[in-house]
Amino acid sequence: IFTSILFLYVNLAIAQQFKPVDEGSEVSFKIKNFGINVAGKFSGLKGKITFNADDLAASEIEASVNTNTIRTGIDQRDNHLKKEEYFDADKFPEIHFISTKITTSTNKNYLFVFGKLTMKGVTKEISFPFKATKKGDDYLFEGEFKINRRDYNVGSGSITMADELTVHLSVVGQKEE
């Protein structure tokens, strides 16, 4: 028992702690509306990342963005997306992700993360490949995944707006001292 506890403690001590930060990061999405790609971004990034490239079992990612920070380049559209029909930003101020497992991938340049994405009170399992690139003392975590907005009750059926959207993550994990 003592050896198991010591092993767990050593693994946790080796895994480094990082804080996701807005500066240098981008959490963005693309969705087709009237057949044209519409892009948007979120900020207000916060959370914690424990990462050890040599021991992925000891690694985990937890991050969220603030739904009130949505930016599509058109203020009127941004204000509409914050309303109840879409993100309901007053009632659900965050989009939250927490990993359940991080593994290697068949592509040596990528890792694979499994986790739970919560948006507008709905939690769904997602998984996607990502890169973890060391940048000095920090890391850059990059990945992309697709979701169906209606699975999260974001907007209703529409003949002009697609249900599926692509989310792109480029998150700077700043080393915590």
Side-chain angles (χ1 to χ4, degrees):
I1 292 174
F2 176 73
T3 304
S4 296
I5 292 171
L6 182 61
F7 180 73
L8 178 63
Y9 177 76
V10 169
N11 276 341
L12 291 175
I14 291 172
Q16 295 182 2
Q17 302 294 315
F18 299 92
K19 178 178 133 182
V21 294
D22 272 333
E23 188 175 332
S25 295
E26 183 175 289
V27 177
S28 61
F29 63 90
K30 279 192 240 179
I31 187 167
K32 286 208 183 282
N33 194 16
F34 289 103
I36 299 168
N37 274 329
V38 174
K41 297 179 184 182
F42 289 97
S43 57
L45 192 56
K46 64 181 186 178
K48 62 182 177 181
I49 300 169
T50 304
F51 187 71
N52 180 347
D54 296 323
D55 185 8
L56 296 176
S59 300
E60 59 185 31
I61 299 169
E62 182 174 358
S64 63
V65 291
N66 184 325
T67 53
N68 274 303
T69 66
I70 191 167
R71 298 289 176 265
T72 63
I74 300 174
D75 290 342
Q76 186 176 356
R77 178 172 44 209
D78 298 345
N79 291 332
H80 183 69
L81 290 172
K82 293 175 190 178
K83 292 186 178 181
E84 184 178 356
E85 181 185 357
Y86 289 91
F87 289 103
D88 199 357
D90 289 337
K91 188 174 179 183
F92 302 102
E94 290 184 342
I95 298 171
H96 186 82
F97 175 79
I98 185 161
S99 66
T100 54
K101 178 172 64 169
I102 299 174
T103 66
T104 57
S105 161
T106 55
N107 182 330
K108 67 178 178 137
N109 296 319
Y110 285 87
L111 300 172
F112 217 83
V113 63
F114 298 81
K116 296 179 181 184
L117 179 67
T118 302
M119 186 178 347
K120 204 174 174 184
V122 176
T123 302
K124 298 274 184 190
E125 296 275 341
I126 65 169
S127 59
F128 58 94
F130 75 99
K131 285 184 186 181
T133 308
K134 189 114 170 94
K135 301 281 185 182
D137 287 338
D138 303 333
Y139 265 94
L140 177 62
F141 300 95
E142 298 175 284
E144 190 172 277
F145 59 92
K146 294 181 186 295
I147 58 170
N148 185 320
R149 66 180 175 81
R150 293 183 63 196
D151 288 347
Y152 295 91
N153 300 318
V154 176
S156 57
S158 172
I159 60 170
T160 61
M161 184 169 44
D163 291 340
E164 187 177 80
L165 63 121
T166 301
V167 177
H168 176 77
L169 305 170
S170 180
V171 175
V172 173
Q174 199 170 61
K175 185 177 178 184
E176 293 189 329
E177 299 300 322

